[in-house]
Amino acid sequence: MEKSKIKYKVLIIDDEAQIRRLLRMTLESNEYKVFEAATAKEGMQAVTMNHPDVILLDLGLPDESGLKLMGRLREWSAVPVIVLTVQDSESVMIEALDSGADDYVTKPFNAGELLARIRVAIRHSLRMDESPVFRSGSLEVDINSRVTRLNKQEVKLTATEYSLLLIFIRNAGKVLTHSYISREIWSAPYADNAQILRVHIAQLRKKIENDPSVPELLITEPGVGYRMKILPLPE
Amino acid sequence: MSRTRIWKYSSRSDFSEYLIAFLAIVLTAGICFPLSHFIGIFSVGLILLMVVAVLALFLGRWPLMFAAILNVLVWDYFFQKPLFSIGIMQIEDLFANIADLLVAIVSVILITRIRKSKTILQNSQERLIILNNFLESMNNAKSIAEAVQIAGENLKKYFGQEAIIYIKDKNSNSLFSAPYGNSDFHNANGIAIAQSLFIKSSTGRPGDSEKSTDGITYFPLLDPREAIGVIGINLETYTPPGEDKILLFKSFITIIASTLGREISIEKAMEKELLDHSEKLFQAVLNSVSHELRTPIAIISAAVGNLNDARTSSEPEKRRQICVELESASNRLNTLVENILDMSRIESGLLKLNLQYCDIADLVGLVVKDLKGELHGRKLNISIDENLSLIKADISLIRQVLVNILRNAMMYTPSGTGIEITASNNPAGMVSLSVRDYGPGVPDENLEHLFEKFYRVPGSRSGGTGLGLAIVRAFVEAHKGFIRASNEPDGGLRITMIFKAEK
């Protein structure tokens, strides 16, 4: 929880009144200011009127699909959007992420997980973690000197591995789709690089994970992509 | 259907033509005999030659040859000296006879040649017309079966018999064992030949044709892209089995093959479309059911999350609110499960009615009590005829019907609006029961789909599986009742049910 006096504003766009009420309860007890909208139209109005810091968007809205709403929103706003949906088909998730969503959470969701995602989204949008040293669990990356350490031991990364790691660090906590990573590294569609990407991820895990077979940092989002987790520092 | 004769250029050489030639020459000779003193024997020779020329207009080649020779013999025998004998006295008579014979034969040959080419022309024109007609009628075929039927009719018309047609099985690369057309030709030997011919053709080595021991010739049906089947016909039973007939038959085969090829592709495309459609429907059903199942679960899980959080659960008011949410989510799950069970009961045909006399007024009272907690300020206006007839019904099912209709009305109308329940006797010995709301109604073009399973009015709010009203219709129809939906002129939807009254 952010121990600051600023109350971040969260806009919930979901047509289920019960979900809105319960989310409001959760968020308010975590010091967020909550706005609600039940339709895409109301949602759009609420974005312009209330300037939320993060939007929780349900994809199945009665008047317009959430994906369409996001498309229109992204034409003029970069406010972080977390997609909240019961549809867990990967293709829908990828479509949502590729059309500008920052993250997604499938219902039923865990309140702790949702709050963590909201924190990541806000931190990213406010560029709060542009520190030259990235730390998560026992991994430490000094971006200025390009030195990576695991358990205080320096590890040697190839150029591709390092640029891959850098992409994950810049988007720490966010899910990155296969095609996004592929475009960033090779400027080429994922289909051409699916196998290569898997190999590089495996290589990187061997070097930055304590147990590469049970990754804790670089975790797989099945069918969608990968996510760099922000873990607490070891005692 | 009479068989159209198309093979007429073959020479007719029956006995009657020889007789005609003979009689014409002999009669002419008989008439000329008394006159030969006045007109001279050379005039008689010319007259006989003229008769041969006239005969050439309508007799066949060999009777004409016969006439030409007879003409010379008759002239020699009856008119040249010595009379009544074959023989010549003067050398000029010999020349005259040879000239006569040559002229007669040459003119016969020329005339028959002209006639033959005319017949060939006529025949090819006729063949063109036949092929054109055949092509046109095959073009009208709208299915494989129809194409085969039209092909059969035309083969019968022009070749005197139906053919047997084996078509490729859609799913395997072999012939479908049930043939179309003439089943008299269907036997093990034929199938074996057809199969081997088909395999040869579909592996890129198109065999021309193969003949079975019972005289049936099998031809492969080749579409430009692939072999699509085999056609068999008995070519031997027609005389003459000329080259032209085979040629015409092959043109027929080409037309049959391309028509069948077209129909097979169309059928495949339609099947694929159907499959795509049912896949889409299945996906829609899955989405709708999974959405409906997961939403209450998400609510329950979020509520439990809040209960677990000391900051929210420490406030009694919040705890109470969470319990309300939990209760409504579990009711929602319960309704959904009931609907799914009802639907599967209907679909499996296990729906059995426990019919009892039922007073609709009592039933409405029960249902209103059931739904009291869900009204959210909506006012129910109930108007029931005082002397309303009883109906015979399964009370639990009709109760479910009314609950579903009312829940549906509440779901799609704003809270605070009214809902009317009306029941009255109908002059035709029926009881009508209707529920009317003051919501937005349903676009007229969607009304007819309202009771379809998994149907959702486009653009309507989420929630609901699309099962509720489908169950309503199934239950009402199980009671031999009628149900329909209509929009009220001043807004709102009315659902009317009609049941048989029991006096």
Side-chain angles (χ1 to χ4, degrees):
Chain A
M1 195 185 70
E2 308 292 335
K3 283 279 179 199
S4 68
K5 282 177 189 159
I6 319 160
K7 271 195 172 183
Y8 291 112
K9 290 179 280 188
V10 181
L11 171 63
I12 306 168
I13 309 178
D14 194 320
D15 63 330
E16 289 287 343
Q18 278 190 291
I19 296 268
R20 291 202 305 270
R21 285 197 294 270
L22 288 161
L23 276 176
R24 171 185 283 276
M25 216 180 273
T26 310
L27 292 169
E28 279 178 347
S29 50
N30 283 282
E31 309 298 325
Y32 289 99
K33 190 162 170 43
V34 178
F35 300 95
E36 294 178 24
T39 62
K41 201 174 148 203
E42 282 176 38
M44 207 52 150
Q45 281 168 356
V47 177
T48 48
M49 281 168 56
N50 304 318
H51 303 289
D53 296 298
V54 63
I55 298 175
L56 301 183
L57 176 66
D58 180 36
L59 288 186
L61 295 173
D63 52 340
E64 189 182 46
S65 101
L67 284 178
K68 270 196 190 152
L69 171 68
M70 194 156 53
R72 289 198 287 128
L73 184 68
R74 278 289 173 261
E75 286 169 10
W76 56 272
S77 166
V79 56
V81 174
I82 298 176
V83 166
L84 205 60
T85 179
V86 292
Q87 287 165 314
D88 60 357
S89 111
E90 289 89 18
S91 60
V92 175
M93 296 311 156
I94 292 175
E95 203 184 337
L97 292 167
D98 284 344
S99 56
D102 293 76
D103 211 334
Y104 68 90
V105 178
T106 47
K107 297 180 196 170
F109 45 81
N110 171 295
E113 186 68 28
L114 177 68
L115 290 168
R117 301 286 172 84
I118 291 175
R119 279 197 297 275
V120 166
I122 291 176
R123 210 180 299 163
H124 271 289
S125 75
L126 302 182
R127 305 192 178 280
M128 282 160 59
D129 47 13
E130 287 199 338
S131 117
V133 181
F134 170 83
R135 286 191 186 86
S136 174
S138 38
L139 179 74
E140 185 185 303
V141 182
D142 186 329
I143 293 164
N144 287 340
S145 61
R146 297 176 68 111
V147 175
T148 308
R149 290 188 193 85
L150 182 66
N151 297 319
K152 310 250 190 277
Q153 300 289 311
E154 190 174 339
V155 286
K156 296 253 178 272
L157 297 179
T158 66
T160 312
E161 284 160 6
Y162 186 72
S163 47
L164 195 56
L165 181 59
L166 216 54
I167 290 170
F168 281 112
I169 289 173
R170 291 211 178 103
N171 297 287
K174 268 178 70 175
V175 63
L176 300 183
T177 64
H178 297 127
S179 58
Y180 174 82
I181 303 169
S182 177
R183 271 201 313 271
E184 286 291 299
I185 296 192
W186 296 288
S187 324
Y190 172 58
D192 300 347
N193 294 303
Q195 187 55 31
I196 308 175
L197 178 59
R198 275 228 299 281
V199 172
H200 280 295
I201 293 281
Q203 293 294 342
L204 189 56
R205 276 177 177 161
K206 271 187 204 154
K207 295 181 181 172
I208 65 166
E209 295 280 0
N210 283 319
D211 180 356
S213 60
V214 192
E216 290 177 313
L217 287 166
L218 199 50
I219 58 163
T220 300
E221 294 285 340
V224 178
Y226 302 95
R227 184 195 302 273
M228 170 65 82
K229 278 221 154 191
I230 304 171
L231 299 178
L233 304 182
E235 310 278 303
Chain B
M1 204 182 294
S2 73
R3 201 174 130 206
T4 311
R5 248 169 26 108
I6 51 172
W7 320 110
K8 48 182 176 197
Y9 62 81
S10 57
S11 325
R12 273 177 295 165
S13 36
D14 40 302
F15 178 68
S16 62
E17 293 198 355
Y18 289 96
L19 193 67
I20 291 168
F22 179 78
L23 288 178
I25 300 285
V26 170
L27 278 176
T28 314
I31 293 164
C32 290
F33 193 70
L35 300 173
S36 61
H37 293 291
F38 308 105
I39 55 174
I41 60 165
F42 284 101
S43 304
V44 175
L46 280 175
I47 290 169
L48 284 171
L49 200 56
M50 278 193 290
V51 171
V52 172
V54 171
L55 285 174
L57 295 178
F58 52 91
L59 290 190
R61 185 193 293 172
W62 297 113
L64 280 175
M65 285 299 179
F66 168 71
I69 294 163
L70 187 66
N71 142 59
V72 178
L73 289 178
V74 165
W75 191 39
D76 185 332
Y77 192 83
F78 290 104
F79 298 96
Q80 285 179 8
K81 286 172 187 165
L83 292 180
F84 308 114
S85 75
I86 302 289
I88 36 172
M89 290 178 66
Q90 295 166 322
I91 192 75
E92 56 185 273
D93 287 347
L94 178 67
F95 279 119
N97 281 355
I98 290 173
D100 186 11
L101 190 63
L102 270 179
V103 169
I105 288 176
V106 166
S107 51
V108 163
I109 289 174
L110 284 179
I111 286 174
T112 48
R113 209 178 264 174
I114 289 167
R115 266 168 42 194
K116 185 173 175 179
S117 39
K118 187 185 151 215
T119 324
I120 290 176
L121 253 170
Q122 258 176 358
N123 276 341
S124 48
Q125 201 180 358
E126 250 175 89
R127 265 206 312 278
L128 266 175
I129 292 170
I130 290 170
L131 281 176
N132 186 48
N133 288 344
F134 182 49
L135 194 62
E136 266 176 21
S137 49
M138 286 299 270
N139 261 339
N140 291 332
K142 282 174 200 71
S143 68
I144 295 178
E146 209 179 314
V148 171
Q149 196 204 337
I150 293 173
E153 279 167 11
N154 281 277
L155 285 170
K156 200 162 189 182
K157 190 165 160 194
Y158 300 116
F159 294 85
Q161 66 179 333
E162 275 190 60
I164 186 166
I165 298 178
Y166 294 94
I167 289 180
K168 182 186 150 172
D169 185 32
K170 258 173 264 161
N171 305 316
S172 67
N173 202 19
S174 60
L175 290 181
F176 193 57
S177 51
Y180 290 97
N182 193 341
S183 52
D184 294 347
F185 293 167
H186 187 45
N187 57 42
N189 183 21
I191 295 175
I193 291 177
Q195 281 283 17
S196 81
L197 193 60
F198 176 73
I199 290 166
K200 257 194 234 166
S201 315
S202 52
T203 48
R205 294 178 285 129
D208 183 22
S209 64
E210 265 176 56
K211 205 163 142 188
S212 73
T213 46
D214 48 358
I216 296 155
T217 313
Y218 292 88
F219 297 84
L221 289 170
L222 300 167
D223 194 29
R225 278 154 296 158
E226 52 174 357
I228 54 170
V230 171
I231 185 167
I233 194 166
N234 191 341
L235 284 176
E236 280 185 352
T237 49
Y238 310 102
T239 48
E243 261 307 296
D244 292 79
K245 186 171 167 186
I246 304 229
L247 216 64
L248 183 71
F249 186 62
K250 282 189 174 162
S251 312
F252 261 59
I253 289 177
T254 312
I255 293 173
I256 293 171
S258 62
T259 310
L260 287 177
R262 182 192 72 200
E263 287 307 317
I264 289 173
S265 331
I266 291 174
E267 212 160 88
K268 262 190 202 158
M270 272 163 62
E271 257 173 34
K272 191 175 173 295
E273 201 174 306
L274 206 67
L275 205 69
D276 286 354
H277 182 74
S278 67
E279 236 163 61
K280 260 185 214 152
L281 187 70
F282 175 74
Q283 200 54 47
V285 168
L286 204 65
N287 280 346
S288 125
V289 171
S290 77
H291 180 271
E292 275 313 285
L293 274 171
R294 280 175 195 217
T295 303
I297 293 172
I299 292 167
I300 291 169
S301 130
V304 170
N306 280 328
L307 275 182
N308 274 334
D309 187 337
R311 283 168 302 188
T312 41
S313 61
S314 58
E315 293 174 41
E317 174 52 29
K318 284 201 170 152
R319 266 208 315 274
R320 198 198 55 79
Q321 204 192 329
I322 291 169
C323 286
V324 171
E325 306 293 0
L326 277 173
E327 192 186 10
S328 102
S330 67
N331 283 341
R332 194 166 157 181
L333 262 182
N334 191 38
T335 311
L336 176 69
V337 170
E338 265 172 20
N339 275 347
I340 290 173
L341 290 180
D342 281 341
M343 204 67 224
S344 56
R345 205 147 57 110
I346 294 164
E347 304 260 285
S348 65
L350 291 177
L351 188 64
K352 284 204 183 72
L353 300 187
N354 174 22
L355 293 179
Q356 293 167 23
Y357 287 102
C358 159
D359 180 351
I360 287 182
D362 287 351
L363 192 77
V364 170
L366 272 177
V367 170
V368 169
K369 220 168 105 191
D370 281 349
L371 295 179
K372 212 159 211 162
E374 302 173 30
L375 287 174
H376 295 293
R378 288 182 185 82
K379 197 168 163 1
L380 287 181
N381 297 314
I382 300 165
S383 96
I384 294 175
D385 270 10
E386 263 179 35
N387 55 349
L388 188 72
S389 306
L390 298 180
I391 61 170
K392 230 178 174 181
D394 184 316
I395 293 172
S396 67
L397 296 192
I398 294 298
R399 185 171 166 177
Q400 184 71 44
V401 163
L402 211 50
V403 166
N404 281 8
I405 293 175
L406 286 169
R407 281 214 175 111
N408 193 67
M410 290 189 287
M411 191 169 211
Y412 296 105
T413 58
S415 51
T417 57
I419 294 176
E420 279 167 20
I421 303 174
T422 318
S424 59
N425 284 324
N426 170 316
M430 301 289 203
V431 170
S432 92
L433 171 61
S434 75
V435 175
R436 183 251 159 105
D437 66 39
Y438 287 86
V442 169
D444 281 340
E445 66 269 22
N446 299 329
L447 277 177
E448 55 173 331
H449 302 294
L450 209 56
F451 299 104
E452 281 170 17
K453 198 166 47 158
F454 299 117
Y455 177 78
R456 309 287 315 277
V457 175
S460 65
R461 56 161 288 190
S462 72
T465 47
L467 283 175
L469 290 184
I471 290 169
V472 163
R473 178 168 71 179
F475 282 1
V476 170
E477 285 176 355
H479 285 84
K480 300 194 169 54
F482 302 94
I483 186 163
R484 65 184 211 96
S486 54
N487 283 311
E488 288 292 297
D490 52 340
L493 185 73
R494 180 183 290 279
I495 291 179
T496 309
M497 289 161 282
I498 292 175
F499 297 99
K500 191 167 164 279
E502 301 284 335
K503 272 288 170 189

